């Protein structure tokens, strides 16, 4: 059983290796196209298997049967397959036939070309429209010299590409969306590799998540539209957040201008299990011609429950077809977006197709919030009609190929006229990964929570009323509405002049005041009205807080709660089956941790959320996929060859190096079940270190001239390039020296000592090497013999080993934050101007005296 | 003996004037030196997490940052016992010896006992012969001169090997004279630290006045006011308190068909206008008389006029320093105030306050490179006391604080140079 992570890695590594110098954006068409053809071939074969009720025969046999059947029944057979799938692949054009040719050494590129061309003819007229032109030679030209300068080279490259998918059963992989995920992943990876093209940017997954969660969580969706659909990832992200029933009933609409991308969109949706009859994807210019038109009401657009889009940013000369304000899409705005910036044209197009109760989410550059002239007019109209629901400012550098910060705008048509606009400033919520800024799971969760609860959080969100917006003359720039939190506590004149910490500042230490008011009270003393000084050091205060019964009981209470929570979910996770909806398990777990932490006003809920989200990301997603398929204890005892890449260049190859357990890390098995052996290894290696220490002391001693070590050992030490004494002994020279030295001499003793030490150390290293190998083997053999009880213990340790401690530590973390502020205040006001002056005065007097005491000789 | 007689420093304490000449010693006699163990002895896999049963490993950073509290690695007490040759105690000196070499730090009495790592050298000074503080000066002089003679242009990367270091010659006076020298040097060091602290304090004090001398959000009067003034303050639009904004947006010599000159009238671009002063060092351009006349005629800047940078960087405020004449260049604007409403000195102070800066930031556009347009300035309010006299008083206070800061800066530099002079004259 291969997991999606492994497929992703394998395909992407393969792609990189095969791609050579070819541009990523071109190569992806070949790679993804052939992958899709494999899918179609596998589907056809599976269909045939069930039609002829062939049961469990091998793929090879199945192909033979299919060839025979075709000979026997001819077109009848294919028609039958076509009637259910909407297409078929004739036996002679199967992907599997290419593989046979490669094996027999009579592969021809022409045959692949013929197969792809023939596919067009096998599409049924009814409902098969989604497959039309999907392998057209304009995007999948196998004679292109970019694939190799001559036919021979091209043939070789295409063969390796075909072999890359050879053993992947696409039909199996499609279950559980592994195939779709892998495909999507490749599209994303390729997008990152490609340079930017005319303002088109692949929507980073985290941005899609924000949009999809908002759209999916606020209403029922039966139809969704992306007017600039790209690879379709926004549509699919929304799908992912719907329940299975809604997923099945959803209608997908999308339009894409770029033909190659348009082909990808269709393949991507089909691979994700979207039924052909549920999707309508069109290859055309969204702005040029309005689409889709309502068949019942000509000249009126179809309206959708959800519109999502990431259009190209600030497109110049977008209005090539000379649209007028009278275009029904722009009517609401009463103005045409400027020729130099197409942003609002896209927004208005999407809005036009939004149903009365629907939700639209669009990504655009910040400029749309404050630019003037006609864009200002449009903004004013939208605000007057009150169709802007929320504006979410995101951090810069989220996209791989542009650094510009973007905003997500949420639009709705059914808002009450008095509903304020929610402004969210999430521009500071991210972590840096290399040059890139990345929204973490907790950042996404916080944005979505604030959106759903319409909550106002200082420095993060604000509900802007109509009057405020008018006051700002319809300028929607986020900083005008969401005040950034002052991080610097204002300085206080009296405190600087006369010392002491302003009591006001102490009052602002909310957590300390509410949790441990007594400790705080005992630690400060008023020195004059409104000013206090610290009576205890911060270290002392920290200690008394840590030992305070409230903190201790709070910690243990929280620990219990977290433990119950984990145990409950651990049990669920162990017992999942193929029927469980993994997505729901994750969501339950995440929302429950929030609920637990919500009782603790002073703990950052979202940090705890992130802890759980990361367990999912790092282990659970992969592990429970395996558990669902094969059962907990079976997977626990499973092991597979540990493949390592050896050599480089032409000699690069994969070789097996032992075994690894499927879900339990080998190291964990060693740590928990072989601790004695590990301890023994430890003590041996520390013995080696002792020896090395002794040797290094002898070496150092030998570097001091005239020392006895120097006289005795110098000739047995390796020399550096500058012919100075180096940092190690020369074993050969040592033996020679030993032979000639007088056995009674001090020199002999020292040489002998070095010799013994070196020997002992070599012996130990050898032992360690053997022990380590034994341990490795024991662990690898143990995997298959683990008891149920051991598996329970190990997996629990792997997933939730430190989770309770990490969450409980958040209590300390929030207290520490305030103690740090207290420390800063104390440092800031510790000196007074007068105090410093007095000290300077004294010092100057001393200096005066000293100075006069000096004479120039 | 003649030679020896010359070996006394230029400046010496009176009581030692007749004492003997400074005695020649070798560094090997002054102290015991020990370099950290080989890297293999303190490898990553030996380190353990911090707990009560561990010993700290001192690193380069402790010496360079002069901070004994920095900590990253620990070893078990058991293992530390085996490494006791490399133990370092409070009061002993650690010296960085690889990369950034020669950084010295005396571990304070509060420091933990620890083990030095490969990149450190531990020095146990023989305090019967040499004062510890004096040793630091001597050692660092030695390293300086060693690097001067041994480097080929670039700084040396390793502390001299013991074989070279220990025989190195050094002259020292008798211990009593050493102590006296150390008293003076320590006194100067303390004076420098204190003046640094005082400078910081005055800067903080200015910040505190800036926060207290203007009305807080929602208040009509400030927390702190000069006596005799009671009237409420006003929030007025900046644009309503000025007659005119001089803004030559986009004007360049090229567009006027001319060019910059080597000398002449200094052009004030946003790069030259710092907070509170004009900096003629960065990217300065000058215009000749002709350029100046064409550019500035009718808009000549006068002393005290308020300058403001609109972007890159946004929000710097300074006043025109004199009446020599300046060219108003890229991204800098100047205000012509309504004299009956606001004084120039006050405008400069209020524009430069943190409150104004955050208001301007909110009004500005752009992500990282913020900028304000004249249009967005129209939504910008400033707090103004009605009486011009009160404005003057406030402006005077901040000017005096600024002057104090400059003076203390100068005094600090003076003290640092004075110490250098003493070091030069009081050693052999």
């Amino acid at each position: 059983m291969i997991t999606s992570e492994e497929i992703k890695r394998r395909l992407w590594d393969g792609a990189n290796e095969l791609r050579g110098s070819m541009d990523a954006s071109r190569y992806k068409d070949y790679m993804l196209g052939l992958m899709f053809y494999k899918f179609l071939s596998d589907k056809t074969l599976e269909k045939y298997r069930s039609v002829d009720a062939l049961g469990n025969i091998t793929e090879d046999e199945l192909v033979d049967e299919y060839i025979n059947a075709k000979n026997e029944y001819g077109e009848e057979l294919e028609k039958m397959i076509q009637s259910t799938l909407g297409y078929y692949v004739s036996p002679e054009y199967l992907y599997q036939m290419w593989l046979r040719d490669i094996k027999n050494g009579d592969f021809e590129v022409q045959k692949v070309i013929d197969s792809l061309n023939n596919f067009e003819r096998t599409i049924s007229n009814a409902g098969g429209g989604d497959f039309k032109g999907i392998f057209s030679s304009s995007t999948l030209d196998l004679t292109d010299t970019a694939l190799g300068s001559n036919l021979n080279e091209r043939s070789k490259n295409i063969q390796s590409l075909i072999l890359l998918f050879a053993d992947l059963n696409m039909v199996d992989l499609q279950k559980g969306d592994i195939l779709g995920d892998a495909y999507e992943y490749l599209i994303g990876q390729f997008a990152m590799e490609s340079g930017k093209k005319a303002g088109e940017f692949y929507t980073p997954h985290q941005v899609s998540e924000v949009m999809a969660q908002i759209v999916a969580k606020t209403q029922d969706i039966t139809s969704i539209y992306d007017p600039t659909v790209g690879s379709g990832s926004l549509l699919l992200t929304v799908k992912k957040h719907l329940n299975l029933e809604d997923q099945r009933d959803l209608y997908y609409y999308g339009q894409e201008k770029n033909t190659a991308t348009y082909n990808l969109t269709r393949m991507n949706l089909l691979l994700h299990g979207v039924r052909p009859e549920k999707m309508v994807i069109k290859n055309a210019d969204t702005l040029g011609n309005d689409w889709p038109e309502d068949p019942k009401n000509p000249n009126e657009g179809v309206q959708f429950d959800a519109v999502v889009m990431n259009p190209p940013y600030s497109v110049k000369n977008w209005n090539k077809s000379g649209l007028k304000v009278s275009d029904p899409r722009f009517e609401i705005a009463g103005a045409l977006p400027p020729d130099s910036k197409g942003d609002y044209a896209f927004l208005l197009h999407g809005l036009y197709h939004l149903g009365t109760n629907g939700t639209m989410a669009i990504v655009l550059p910040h400029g749309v919030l404050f630019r003037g002239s006609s864009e200002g007019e449009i903004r004013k109209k939208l605000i007057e009609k009150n169709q802007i629901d929320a504006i979410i400012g995101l951090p810069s550098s989220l996209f791989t190929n542009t650094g510009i910060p973007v905003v997500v705008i949420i639009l709705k048509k059914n808002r009450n006229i008095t509903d304020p606009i929610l402004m969210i400033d999430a521009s500071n919520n991210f972590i840096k990964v290399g040059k890139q800024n990345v929204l973490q799971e907790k950042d996404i969760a916080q944005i979505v929570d604030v959106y759903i609860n319409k909550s106002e959080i200082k420095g993060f969100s604000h509900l802007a009323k109509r009057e405020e917006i008018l006051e700002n003359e319809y300028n929607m720039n986020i900083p005008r509405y969401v005040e950034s939190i002052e991080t610097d506590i204002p300085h206080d004149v009296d405190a600087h002049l006369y010392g002491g910490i302003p009591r006001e500042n102490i009052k602002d230490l909310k957590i300390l005041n509410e949790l441990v008011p007594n400790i705080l009270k005992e630690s400060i003393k008023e020195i004059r009205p409104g000013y206090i000084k610290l009576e205890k050091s911060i270290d002392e205060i920290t200690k008394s807080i840590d030992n305070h019964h409230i903190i201790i009981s709070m910690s243990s209470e929280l620990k219990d709660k977290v433990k119950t929570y984990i145990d409950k979910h651990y049990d669920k996770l162990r017992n999942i089956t193929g029927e469980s909806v993994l997505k729901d398990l994750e969501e339950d777990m995440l929302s429950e941790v929030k609920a637990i932490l919500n009782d603790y006003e002073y703990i950052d809920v979202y940090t705890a959320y992130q802890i759980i989200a990361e367990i999912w990301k790092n282990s659970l997603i992969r592990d429970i996929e395996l558990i669902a398929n094969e059962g907990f204890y079976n997977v626990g005892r499973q092991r597979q060859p540990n493949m390592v890449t050896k050599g480089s260049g032409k000699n690069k190859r994969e070789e097996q190096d032992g075994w690894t357990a499927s879900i339990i890390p080998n190291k964990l098995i060693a740590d928990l079940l072989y601790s004695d052996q590990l301890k023994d290894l430890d003590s041996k290696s520390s013995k080696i270190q002792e020896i090395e220490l002794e040797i290094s002391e002898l070496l150092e001693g030998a570097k001091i001239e005239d020392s006895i070590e120097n006289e005795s050992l110098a000739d047995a030490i390796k020399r550096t390039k500058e012919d100075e004494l180096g940092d190690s002994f020369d074993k050969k020279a040592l033996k020679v020296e030993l032979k000639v030295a007088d056995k009674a001499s001090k020199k002999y003793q020292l040489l002998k000592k070095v010799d013994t030490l070196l020997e002992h150390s070599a012996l130990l290293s050898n032992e360690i090497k053997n022990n380590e190998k034994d341990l490795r083997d024991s662990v690898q053999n143990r995997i298959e013999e683990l008891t149920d009880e051991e598996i329970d213990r190990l997996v629990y340790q792997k997933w939730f080993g430190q989770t309770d401690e990490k969450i409980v530590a958040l209590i300390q973390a929030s207290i520490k934050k305030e103690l740090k502020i207290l420390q800063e205040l104390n440092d800031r006001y510790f000196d007074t101007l007068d105090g410093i002056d007095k000290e300077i005065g004294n010092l100057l007097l001393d200096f005066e005296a000293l100075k006069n005491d000096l004479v120039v000789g | 003996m003649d030679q020896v007689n010359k070996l006394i420093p230029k400046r010496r304490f009176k009581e030692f004037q007749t004492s003997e000449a400074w005695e020649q010693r070798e560094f090997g006699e002054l102290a015991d030196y020990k370099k950290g163990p080989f890297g293999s002895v303190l490898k990553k896999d030996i380190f353990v997490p911090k707990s009560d049963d561990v010993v700290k490993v001192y690193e380069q950073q402790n010496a360079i940052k002069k901070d004994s509290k920095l900590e990253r690695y620990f070893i078990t007490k058991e293992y530390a016992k085996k490494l006791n040759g490399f133990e370092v105690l409070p009061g002993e000196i650690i010296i960085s010896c690889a990369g950034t070499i020669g950084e010295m730090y005396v571990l304070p009495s509060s420091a933990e006992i620890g083990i030095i790592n490969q990149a450190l050298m531990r020095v146990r000074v023989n305090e019967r012969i040499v004062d510890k503080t004096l040793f630091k000066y001597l050692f660092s002089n030695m390293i300086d001169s060693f690097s001067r003679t041994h480097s080929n242009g670039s700084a040396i990367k390793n502390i001299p090997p013991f074989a070279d270091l220990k025989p190195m010659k050094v002259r020292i006076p008798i211990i009593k004279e050493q102590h006296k020298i150390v008293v003076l040097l320590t006194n100067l060091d303390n004076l420098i630290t204190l003046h640094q602290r005082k400078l910081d304090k005055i800067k903080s004090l200015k910040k505190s006045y800036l926060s207290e001398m203007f009305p807080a959000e929602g208040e009509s009067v400030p927390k702190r006011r000069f006596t005799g003034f009671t009237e409420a303050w006003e929030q007025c639009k900046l644009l309503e308190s000025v007659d005119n904004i001089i803004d030559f947006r986009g004007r360049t010599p090229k567009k006027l068909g001319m060019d910059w000159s080597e000398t002449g009238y200094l052009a004030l671009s946003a790069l030259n206008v710092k907070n509170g002063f004009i900096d003629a060092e960065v990217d300065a351009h000058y215009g000749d008389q002709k350029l100046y006349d064409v550019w500035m005629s009718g808009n000549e800047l006068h002393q005290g006029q308020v300058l403001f940078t609109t972007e890159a960087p946004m929000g710097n405020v300074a006043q025109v320093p004199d009446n020599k004449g300046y060219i108003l260049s890229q991204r800098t604007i100047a205000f012509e105030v309504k004299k009956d409403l606001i004084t120039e000195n006050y405008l400069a102070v209020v524009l430069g306050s943190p409150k104004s800066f955050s208001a301007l930031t909110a009004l500005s556009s752009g992500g990282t490179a913020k900028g304000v347009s004249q249009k967005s300035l129209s939504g910008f309010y400033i707090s103004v006391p009605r009486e011009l006299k009160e404005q003057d008083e406030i402006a005077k206070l901040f000017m005096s604080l600024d002057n104090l800061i400059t003076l203390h800066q100068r005094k600090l530099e003076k003290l640092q140079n004075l110490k250098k002079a003493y070091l030069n004259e009081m050693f052999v």
Side-chain angles (χ1 to χ4, degrees), chain A residues 496 690 696 831 837 853 857, chain B residues 10 38 82 197-198 201:
Chain A
H496 273 304
E690 274 168 48
S696 76
D831 279 335
D837 272 340
D853 224 9
Chain B
K10 181 177 172 194
F38 289 128
K82 290 166 196 149
R197 256 158 68 194
K198 186 166 178 192
K201 180 54 77 175

Side-chain angles (χ1 to χ4, degrees), chain B residues 9-127:
Chain B
K10 181 177 172 194
R11 191 177 291 269
R12 218 172 164 190
F13 284 105
K14 257 185 229 152
E15 54 183 299
F16 301 108
Q17 215 174 357
T18 52
S19 304
E20 337 155 25
W22 289 27
E23 189 187 359
Q24 177 162 301
R25 295 277 195 165
E26 289 182 1
F27 268 95
E29 300 170 69
L30 300 187
D32 168 65
Y33 308 86
K34 181 85 179 173
K35 274 190 204 171
F38 289 128
S40 60
V41 179
L42 281 176
K43 276 183 305 202
K44 277 238 158 66
D45 51 354
I46 294 169
F47 299 137
V48 293
K50 189 179 180 175
S51 77
D52 287 343
D53 290 315
V54 298
V55 171
K56 169 184 184 150
V57 176
Y58 282 100
E59 295 181 274
Q60 285 266 85
Q61 287 306 311
N62 296 103
I64 294 169
K65 300 248 170 76
K66 316 260 180 268
D67 185 348
S68 64
K69 293 224 170 68
L70 297 176
E71 54 189 24
R72 279 203 300 176
Y73 301 123
F74 303 90
I75 54 174
T76 60
K77 277 194 176 152
E78 203 188 334
Y79 188 53
K81 260 184 222 145
K82 290 166 196 149
L83 290 173
N84 65 359
F86 301 101
E87 192 176 63
V88 61
L89 311 171
E92 294 179 341
I93 302 176
I94 51 173
I95 302 179
S96 63
C97 29
T100 315
I101 65 153
E103 288 291 337
M104 279 183 276
Y105 177 53
V106 183
L107 286 185
S109 55
S110 62
E112 290 173 53
I113 296 175
I115 297 292
I116 51 170
N117 83 349
Q118 192 180 21
L120 279 179
M121 180 161 88
R122 177 198 67 203
V123 182
R124 288 184 171 148
V125 176
N126 183 346
E127 294 186 70

Side-chain angles (χ1 to χ4, degrees), chain B residues 81-279:
Chain B
K81 260 184 222 145
K82 290 166 196 149
L83 290 173
N84 65 359
F86 301 101
E87 192 176 63
V88 61
L89 311 171
E92 294 179 341
I93 302 176
I94 51 173
I95 302 179
S96 63
C97 29
T100 315
I101 65 153
E103 288 291 337
M104 279 183 276
Y105 177 53
V106 183
L107 286 185
S109 55
S110 62
E112 290 173 53
I113 296 175
I115 297 292
I116 51 170
N117 83 349
Q118 192 180 21
L120 279 179
M121 180 161 88
R122 177 198 67 203
V123 182
R124 288 184 171 148
V125 176
N126 183 346
E127 294 186 70
R128 275 175 296 123
I129 304 177
V130 64
D131 181 281
K132 205 193 294 172
T133 311
L134 194 77
F135 174 85
K136 276 170 62 187
Y137 287 109
L138 296 170
F139 194 87
S140 103
N141 277 346
M142 181 268 290
I143 294 287
D144 283 353
S145 67
F146 182 85
S147 11
R148 261 197 308 280
T149 46
H150 285 74
S151 84
N152 38 9
S154 61
I156 58 163
K157 294 201 173 62
N158 283 300
I159 221 109
F162 286 151
D164 288 340
L165 185 152
K166 288 181 178 167
M168 234 168 307
K169 308 274 187 280
V170 60
R171 289 190 175 274
I172 52 172
I174 55 167
I175 196 87
K176 265 178 96 182
E177 187 174 356
Q178 291 183 31
H179 289 327
K180 187 91 186 203
I181 294 171
V182 167
V183 169
L184 175 73
L185 294 175
T186 312
N187 174 287
L188 280 168
D189 271 341
N190 291 342
L191 268 177
I192 288 169
T193 326
L194 273 172
H195 275 84
Q196 183 63 57
R197 256 158 68 194
K198 186 166 178 192
L199 179 64
D200 294 343
K201 180 54 77 175
I202 299 173
K203 283 181 184 167
S204 301
L205 194 61
K206 183 185 169 189
K207 268 192 216 160
S208 63
Y209 276 115
L210 278 170
S211 92
E212 293 185 15
M213 301 285 292
F214 299 100
E217 203 63 56
E219 302 280 326
S220 62
V221 289
K223 177 174 169 192
R224 190 175 290 273
R225 249 176 131 172
F226 285 100
T227 48
F229 300 105
T230 51
E231 244 183 286
W233 285 40
E234 275 179 11
Q235 282 291 105
C236 49
K237 282 196 170 174
L238 171 70
L239 293 190
E240 282 166 10
S241 47
V242 300
D243 278 326
N244 183 26
I245 292 179
I246 313 175
D247 183 355
F248 295 124
R249 184 168 299 257
R251 185 174 294 187
T252 59
K254 216 172 183 180
K255 285 190 191 154
L256 299 173
M258 286 181 262
D259 225 326
W260 296 118
S261 315
E262 288 297 310
T263 53
Y265 296 92
L266 176 66
L268 302 173
S269 84
L271 291 176
N272 308 111
V273 178
K274 303 288 182 197
N275 254 331
F277 64 99
I278 301 298
D279 184 354

